[in-house]
């Protein structure tokens, strides 16, 4: 019998671990370290300790006929169009509270737009309308806050009006309610009050493009992914608010969302 001394055995073992037979875990290359941490925007989920990570915020424009008309468009001829807000534009407002919402800089005509928000658990490209709702994780109440004077000013110059829509805190949102608990919200009252006075009052069934159609249309232009959220449009009678105003948004089947407009700190 051939004898192998301890030094030879150790050398052989080391060669095995550094060769092709190295376990997969040991071969994994460490991920590069980032220069600094970046906070992930999240929205709480009702009935769960887990939170929903926000990847992208898509918003559809002029999705209620009466609102399209008040904005100067013809809803019978206009195809759907979308814009985005940054993920960290979300301002989470817990149920039963009134969130302090800072009046933004640069504007003198700050508007509310109450909207149903759909959040996605799955994505894809060219998603058929008939299967689109299978991608929805849940729904929430949201506000698409808008610096209207900046939006209109840029539009008049034929320039992008991102500055009117995509700014800090411009997407207040309540907690997410999973589809398993609230179903798919295709109809039901949507109403906004300012200081107790009704300003917006419509029904989700008045959307020009349904949530399913919005998902299908978006997936033609983008690869949708889990974590994407969609603000599905606002009814007519959008209007201005000033510091001190209290907004109360209601969508049938979901809890209320309320914010108070406050002066910007600093």
């Amino acid at each position: 019998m051939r004898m192998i001394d301890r030094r030879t055995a150790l050398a052989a073992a080391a060669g095995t671990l550094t060769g092709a037979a190295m376990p997969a875990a040991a071969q994994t290359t460490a991920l590069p370290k980032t220069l600094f941490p970046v906070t992930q925007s999240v929205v709480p989920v009702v009935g769960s300790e887990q939170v929903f990570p926000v990847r992208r915020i898509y918003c559809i424009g002029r999705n209620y006929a009466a609102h399209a008309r008040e904005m100067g468009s013809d809803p019978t001829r206009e195809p759907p169009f979308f814009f985005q807000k940054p993920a960290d534009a979300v301002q989470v407002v817990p149920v039963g509270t009134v969130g302090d919402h800072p009046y933004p800089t640069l504007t003198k005509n700050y508007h509310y737009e109450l909207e149903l928000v759909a959040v996605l658990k799955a994505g894809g490209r060219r998603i058929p309308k008939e299967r689109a709702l299978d991608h929805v994780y849940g729904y929430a109440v949201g506000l698409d806050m808008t610096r209207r004077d900046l939006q209109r000013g840029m539009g008049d110059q034929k320039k992008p009006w991102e500055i009117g829509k995509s700014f800090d805190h411009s997407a207040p949102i309540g907690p997410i309610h999973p589809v398993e608990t609230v179903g798919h919200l295709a109809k039901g009252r949507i109403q906004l009050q300012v200081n107790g006075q009704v300003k917006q009052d419509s029904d989700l069934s008045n959307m020009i493009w349904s949530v399913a159609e919005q998902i299908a249309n978006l997936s033609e232009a983008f690869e949708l992914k889990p974590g994407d959220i969609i603000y599905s449009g606002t009814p007519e009678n959008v209007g201005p608010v000033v510091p001190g105003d209290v907004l109360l948004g209601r969508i049938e089947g979901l809890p209320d969302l309320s914010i108070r407009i406050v002066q910007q700190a600093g």
Side-chain angles (χ1 to χ4, degrees):
M1 178 182 296
R2 183 185 175 197
M3 302 297 292
I4 302 177
D5 62 31
R6 184 170 179 272
R7 179 176 296 178
T8 303
L10 290 174
T16 299
L17 290 178
T18 57
M22 181 184 294
Q27 296 180 30
T28 302
T29 302
L31 294 175
K33 294 182 179 180
T34 59
L35 291 172
F36 41 79
V38 177
T39 302
Q40 167 71 64
S41 296
V42 298
V43 181
V45 176
V46 172
S48 175
E49 294 183 355
Q50 295 181 309
V51 293
F52 184 90
V54 180
R55 176 178 173 266
R56 291 181 181 173
I57 302 174
Y58 294 101
C59 306
I60 187 170
R62 301 170 190 168
N63 197 34
Y64 287 73
H67 175 57
R69 293 189 187 99
E70 76 177 349
M71 299 302 289
S73 297
D74 183 349
T76 64
R77 293 188 295 119
E78 186 173 59
F81 72 94
F82 300 88
F83 57 93
Q84 292 188 43
K85 293 175 181 276
D88 63 358
V90 293
Q91 177 189 0
V92 175
V93 182
V95 174
T97 69
V98 179
D100 284 343
H101 179 83
Y103 194 95
T105 60
L106 302 180
T107 184
K108 294 182 180 179
N109 191 20
Y110 193 44
H111 280 209
Y112 53 78
E113 296 188 11
L114 181 66
E115 312 202 4
L116 174 69
V117 182
V119 306
L120 304 187
K121 63 182 178 182
R125 297 182 186 273
R126 295 177 292 278
I127 299 169
K129 179 183 70 174
E130 296 74 21
R131 295 176 51 195
L133 293 183
D134 295 340
H135 296 68
V136 176
Y137 175 78
Y139 296 92
V141 182
L143 284 162
D144 168 17
M145 301 302 291
T146 303
R147 298 191 280 205
R148 189 73 70 199
D149 45 357
L150 301 186
Q151 180 194 24
R152 287 173 172 162
M154 298 302 282
D156 291 343
Q157 300 175 56
K158 308 300 182 183
K159 296 177 180 178
W161 35 262
E162 178 181 15
I163 194 171
K165 288 285 190 178
S166 305
F167 52 91
D168 298 342
H169 313 295
S170 62
I173 189 171
I176 294 166
H177 290 254
V179 168
E180 290 77 8
T181 62
V182 298
H184 288 291
L185 304 178
K187 61 181 179 179
R189 194 173 195 179
I190 175 171
Q191 182 190 88
L192 180 81
Q193 299 177 16
V194 178
N195 301 328
Q197 182 179 359
V198 175
K199 296 292 186 178
Q200 293 184 284
D201 198 0
S202 188
D203 195 280
L204 296 175
S205 62
N206 290 329
M207 287 185 191
I208 299 171
W209 303 93
S210 68
V211 169
E213 290 170 324
Q214 292 175 58
I215 293 170
N217 274 280
L218 274 169
S219 70
E220 292 289 334
F222 307 96
E223 180 180 3
L224 300 179
K225 293 188 177 182
D228 290 343
I229 71 179
I230 301 171
Y231 276 64
S232 62
T234 194
E236 67 276 15
N237 295 326
V238 298
V241 288
V242 297
D245 286 343
V246 176
L247 284 62
L248 177 63
R250 290 176 168 166
I251 296 179
E252 188 175 335
L254 297 173
D256 297 347
L257 170 68
S258 185
I259 61 172
R260 177 187 297 105
I261 309 299
V262 298
Q263 290 285 0
Q264 180 92 258

